[in-house]
Every structure is written in structure tokens, then in C-alpha cells.
Amino acid sequence: MIPTTLLIIGCALALGSVAVGGGSDSAAERPACCGRGLAFWFGLFYLALLAAVGVLGLTGLGTMLTGNSPMSGWTLMLHCSVAPGFAILVTLFALGGASGRSFSGFQYALFWLILLAALVVILSAVIPMTPTFGTPGQHWFYNVHRYASLALFILVALHALGYLFRPKDKA
Amino acid sequence: MALLGAAALAFLGSGTARAQSNQFLKADSRAPYVHRINLYDAQQNPIDPKVEKPALYSVKGTCSKCHEYDVVSHGWHFNYAEGKPAGRPGEPWIYLDPTTRTILPLSYRGWKGTYKPSAVGMSDWDFVTNFATHLPGGGVAEPALSSAPATTQPTTQAAAAPVDPKAPGWNVAGKLEVDCMICHAGDNATYNFHERGDQIVRFYNFQWSPAIALGLGSVKTFPPGGAKMLKMRNWTPEKAAAEPTGPMSRMRIEFHYEKERFDEESHTLLNVVRTPDNDRCYYCHSARPAVNRDQFWHSDQDIHTRAGLQCSNCHRNGLDHQTVRGYDTEGKERNDPFVTSLSCRGCHYGTEAEGPAAATLGGRWGAPRPAHVGLPTVHLEKLACTACHSGPWPGAEPETVQTGFSHALGYSRAKREPTDMPRIAQPVFLRGEDGKIAPHRMVWPNFWGYLNGSAVTPIDPTAVAKAASEALPRIGTPPPLGTPARISAQDPKGLEPLTADQITKTLAALAAGKPAGEPVYISGGKLHRLADGKVVSIEHAAAEPYAWPIGHDVRPATQSLGIRGCSDCHSTEGAIYFGKVAALGPVSPEARVVKAMHDMRNEGGTLPTLFAQSFLFRPMLKYISFICSAIVLGVLTLYGLRGLSFIVDRNRNGK
């Protein structure tokens, strides 16, 4: 009871922070001096996110494509070890990229799709860990996680390619 | 006149036809047929209990008047020596010899890890006299009839049932027919298991035992001691017939019926039911934790029996008596969807096999469909249902259990101690033949053998004791003078491990002469051999334990593994991975093999340990994931609303 209450409070605080911080901190109001520092960290998080998605994709989707699903053993250990880091990096990616200054129009559109897919991937992985859904629900979430992950992997790959071959004035 | 004769013949003929057509009559109703019937002897002659020397009741002779005994007698409980497909491993018969510390799993079915009785010099007769307290008759206990005709005026009733005159023992004791009433007696007052066991094992009164168990009468032998005494004096019906006034003819064995059981037409009422009650099954298929008697009340019954189910509701059979064992792959092995529907999954979930809806839908007998809330579906693929739901709650070490087969539960005896051999461990979580982890019972073999290459052949314990002489002092008295070790109170001396000196001397004694290989001693999970006059111990395949899956007792969902969360199994104390399994038996603690549960499955320990430790962080993973999801959702919502606002403003300005 207490852990659930704390979790609900934490989520509410997070939502509230985004609402307040996002509403008051528009791109036009952010001072220019913060741009280069933030860009460095944002780039770092972005690379880390690409690495995390790569590992998760190899372990998860790779297992599926090679016909060895479900994951087990060391593959599962690696996947579950990287997953929390992925969740944090996606959050930072969302907070840092929401203003759209770092991306071109197409990349910005991909950014929002990535966030949407990531949200589905994270929730479809963690909701079944709660004592809420039975076997049919577990199957459903497993399939949602599987296909959302596939979509996320493709979107991130496209976004990364777009970032690599971006025009120089959008650094 | 000719017409009258023809009419008479026709009348008689129709009567004969009617009598012949009485065979295998069926009531075909759920209502029971009241068996107020005549009893018949082995030749299917009706028995008159009032005569001076009445014929002996024969189960086959009586029951086969209406039922196809020859079909029934090839059912699962009786066909163990017919070489039929044996299915998944089951409980063996365990041969005990305290003198040599022999604990050897035997089975005619050929399951890997068991030995055929003949491999250790045990004849069918020896097998029956050892284990007959829990044998239902038939199989090797009912050897083929000889061609010798039955005598019409037997000096004893022993000659009423023709047997092979050359077979030792059978010609005196008779055959042990399939005793239908073991299962189909309608109540506990009708059939006395203990009395039956006594008659067979202590007195060798094989063919009299069904009548005695039913309380139809009693047997008297002269001299006293049953057919065993006659056998020990080399009595045979032929010798008695050959010397009408000699000592052999004075020996006899007679059965006297309780005349009150019969009416004037020699009918008696047998309380017969189609569906056996649980108590019938429990005589052989009981198990209890090896604890002191004052702790019996600690354990619960199976949830299905508490819900009102009978064993035979799931473990069914037709006339062929191929009783359903109830494991998942049995239906596929037998190519019968109805059999699949009687497994755990088949009953609770239904099956995907093609077949009638009643068999494939699931929910039979109102079986609830499990929700398995919060359980990742991979568990349903990697674990058998029994892993979480059956057997005792797993602890740091398996507990020991005593069973009907191995400890003659149901057969009354003075003392049955928790330390009695064989010591059977449960639950031990191993992979079954279908690759799924399931709880097993396990026994570690202990025996002397000859090593040839990589195979070890057991040596007859009698030969070992004879060779070892004083190195292995005699403990207990084996049959025929004594009783089998499994029904005797066990001498504590027979539970003590052998010393290194005893092992050395015995191995040396076995090596003298012309051994059939290198003598070895299997004990405590290791093979012990002599090297330069000293005992050397190694792990060997022949020393591995024999294990068989268990299905009962089933615990309710509220007592299943995982009810307290993932850490029931996924923790550093989870028994399914880290429980300690020690080789049990007459072996000293420092000499025996001890393995972790994952080792028993030949799985490494690093991954389970790391995986178990990672579950400490599982709550944190959930918190982080939900909070991060909330933040991402917040960003999506905020900018989504902004985008919506932008579109609305543009449309408004555009107007």
C-alpha cells in the first residue's frame, strides 16, 4: 500500500514538474549561454540512448528474429540491466529535445514518434510486473512490447541516420 | 413323439443359449449393480460353501462370468512386465538388504536408473514375496497355467488351481490373480488390505488371500504356518497324492467359508462399486513426511480431494484399465485427446488438440481457470504446473518422505521410524522428459556391483553377504524364515554407514575368485573402488539418484509458489535454485554428495545467483520506469496541447 502510494505521488510530482517547467521555459526565454553546455550533455545522452537502444534491440529483437524467444539467461540479464538506463535516457531525451531546437522538421517529427513508442515500450514492460493482469493480459502486453520495440528501433535508427547526415547549420 | 422331442431339444437349446449369452452382460447404468452372486472357482464351477471341502474362491473364475478379466489383466497396474511403453518414470520398487546396505530401485518397466529384478538375481517369485503387500495381483504374480489338468477330488484345495509343477513356490502357494476387489470394494469393511498382505508375505497363501481379504472365511494349514510351511517342507500336491498314507498326505491346507455370509442358494453379497473410493487408492499410493507420528496432523490433503474429487475422477480408465496417469504429454503419447483433457492443463485450461468440445474446452468438474495474475508467461512454458502447486512447500533442503511402495504404508507393523530406509527426498526440482522443471521424489541407490567399462551391474546381496562373511555381519532374517526388510521394523545397525575397513574387505572378497568385473560399492552418490588396497571414491553415472515426478499433494492457489511474489523462487534463498540436495542413505555426512538444486539440473550457479540478486532492485526498476513514463507522458501531453492550441489559434485567425 505504501509503495504504491509513493509511486503515485512520484508520478504526480513528475507530471506537475513537466507542466510547470515546460510552460514557463519556452525556447525564446532560455538564455543563449546555456545552449552550448546543454547541447554537449544532450549529445552525450543521445549517444547513450542510441547505445542502449542498440543493446536492447540486439538482445530483445535479435532473440525474436533468431527464433530463440523468449529471452533467457545472460541475454535476459543484459536486457533487464540496460532497461532502467534506457528509461532514464529517454526521459532526458524528452526533456532536452522537446523544444525542437536540436532537430530539423523531419527529425522533430521522428522525435515525438520516438517518445510515443518509448512510452508504450516502457509501460508494456513494467505494467505486467505488477499483480494486475493474468495470462491473457500478459500475452497482450508481451506482444505490444514486442512490436512497439520494433517500431522504436526503426524510428531511432532513422533519427540517428538523419542526425548523422544533418545539414551543418543545425549542429 | 418326434415333435415333442424336437420341442424339448429346442427348449434346452434355448436355455443353453441363454446361459451362454449371460456372459459379459452389462447394466450400462450409473446406478450400481447389486452383486448378490454365486462365487466360482478357477474352473468357473459354482462354489457350495456348505460342503465338507468346498472349492476355493477364484477372482478370475467369479468376475470373468460377467467381466472381461483377460482384457482388464493387461491394464496399467498389471502390465509392468509385458514390455509395453512405460511413459514417464514412475515410482520404483526398492529392494532393501540391511546386511549389505543394499537400496536398489527395481522396475520391470525399464525406466532409466532402475534395474530389472533379474539383474540382481531376483526371480518373479522373489519379487512377489518381497513386494506383494502392495501388488494388486496379475503380472508376474500370475504365471501362465501349466498343461496339467486339475484334480477333480483334491486332497487339498491347493491343487484346485493348476500351476506349473516345476515352478518353485507357485505349485504350493498358487497364483496371485488380479484381485478386482482391491479397487472395486465398496467400503473399507469389505476388504482387509493388511490381512491380504499378511497372507501373501508371511504365509505365502497366494490363492487364498482374495477370499481371506474379503472376509469370506479362513485358511487352516497342517502343520500351521500357511503354504510357506508346506513349501519349506518340500510339499507338493503330487507328492501328497503319490503317498496317500505318508507324511506328505497329512499336510494340507484348507479353506473354511463363513457360512453366515451365504444364503440358502449359496449367494453372497459383495459390495462392488464401479468408481473406487480414495481409500482404495491410498493403501498403495499413500505418502507421508518422514516425521514422528505425533506430527501427522501437520500436513493437509490434496486440494482436489478436499474439493470433493475422487482419485478416479481424473485417473480414469475404460475396460482396458489403462489408467490415466495425468501428466501433460500422456495424451500425445497415447494419441487420445480425452487423456490430455485429464491432465492439469487439460482440465483447467482445455487443450488445443482436436477432439470433442467436452474434452477440449477445459473447466471439467468446474475446474477454475487460473488467472496467474502478474506471472510472466515464460513460466508456463518452462515450469510444469506441479512446480508451483504440488508437493510440500520447498525448503532449504528437501524433506524425506515415506511411501506405500517403499515403506509398506498401510501394512501395520510395530515400528516405522523417520530414519527408516529407503530415505526418499522430496521435492527435488529437476527437468522432466518434456524439458519442464517439476518436483520429483528421489532415492539414491546403494549397492555392490561389478564395473565393466562404464556400466555397473548389481550383485545379488546374498552373494555379497556370503563373500563378505564377517566383514558384513548379518542383520535381520531374510525370507523365507524371516520377512522382507520393507515390512519389518528396521534394525538401527542396518542404517549405519559401512566403515572403510568393511568396504575394503568386502571389495577384496568380491575380487577374489572370478569376478564378472571390477567390484565396486555405490553409496552416497559416489562409486567406491579399490586402488592399491585403499578405497577411492569418484562420482559416477551409476551412483546418480533415481527420480520420478510427483503430482500430489496439490496445494491451493493461496499456497502456491509465487503467492508472496517473485522472491519465492528468485532470491538467493529460493529453494528451486539454491536448495541443498544431499545423498541420503547409509552413508556418513562427510562422504556423501551434496549439490545445489541448480546443479542437479546441470545448470551453473552464477547466472541464477546474479538473477536472484537483481530482484533486489526490481522495485526500484518499477519506480524508475513509472516515474520516467510519467515525465515522458507529461512532455507529450504538454506539447500536444500546445500544438492543438496552435492549430486552433491559426484557424481562428485564418477566419
Side-chain angles (χ1 to χ4, degrees), chain B residues 205-231:
Chain B
N205 290 342
F206 288 11
Q207 59 182 319
W208 294 269
S209 61
I212 294 167
L214 276 175
L216 293 175
S218 56
V219 67
K220 286 184 172 50
T221 51
F222 303 95
K228 180 190 281 192
M229 184 56 65
L230 269 60
K231 177 180 182 295

Side-chain angles (χ1 to χ4, degrees), chain B residues 5 59 73 129 144 162 178 236 316 329 404 426 471 493 528 531 596 649 653 655:
Chain B
V59 179
S73 61
T129 50
V178 172
T236 66
R316 303 183 187 182
T329 54
Q426 73 162 12
K493 289 197 288 293
H528 306 271
D649 286 344
N653 293 337
K655 285 181 186 173

Side-chain angles (χ1 to χ4, degrees), chain A residues 3 7 22 73 91 122 131 133-135, chain B residues 371 373-374 607 622-623 628-629 642:
Chain A
L7 184 63
T91 309
I122 295 169
F133 293 94
T135 303
Chain B
V373 167
L607 185 61
K622 292 183 204 174
Y623 285 129
C628 289
S629 299
R642 280 187 176 182

Side-chain angles (χ1 to χ4, degrees), chain A residues 3 7 11 14-15 18 22-23 70 73-74 76-77 84 87-88 90-91 94-95 98-99 108 112 115-116 119 122-123 126-135 138-139, chain B residues 349 370-378 380-382 566 606-607 610-611 614 618 621-640 642:
Chain A
L7 184 63
C11 289
L15 271 170
V18 169
W74 290 107
L76 180 63
M77 281 288 294
I88 295 171
V90 159
T91 309
L95 292 171
S99 62
Y108 197 46
W112 292 113
L115 284 194
L116 192 60
L119 182 67
I122 295 169
L123 286 177
V126 76
I127 288 176
M129 293 183 190
T130 63
T132 311
F133 293 94
T135 303
Q138 296 280 334
H139 274 301
Chain B
Y349 278 112
H372 288 134
V373 167
L375 181 72
T377 55
V378 66
L380 304 179
E381 296 166 23
K382 299 228 182 241
C566 308
T606 309
L607 185 61
L610 283 176
F611 197 64
S614 73
R618 194 173 167 89
L621 166 69
K622 292 183 204 174
Y623 285 129
I624 290 174
S625 300
F626 277 119
I627 291 174
C628 289
S629 299
I631 295 173
V632 171
L633 181 64
V635 170
L636 280 167
T637 306
L638 180 68
Y639 280 83
R642 280 187 176 182

Side-chain angles (χ1 to χ4, degrees), chain A residues 5 14 23 27 39 44 50 53 58 72 80-81 95-96 102 108 116 119 121 123 136 140 143-144 153 164 168 171:
Chain A
T5 309
L44 199 64
L50 290 182
V53 170
L58 271 173
S72 60
C80 293
S81 300
L95 292 171
S102 306
Y108 197 46
L116 192 60
L119 182 67
V121 164
L123 286 177
W140 188 80
N143 286 322
V144 166
F153 189 81
L164 273 177
K168 293 301 176 196

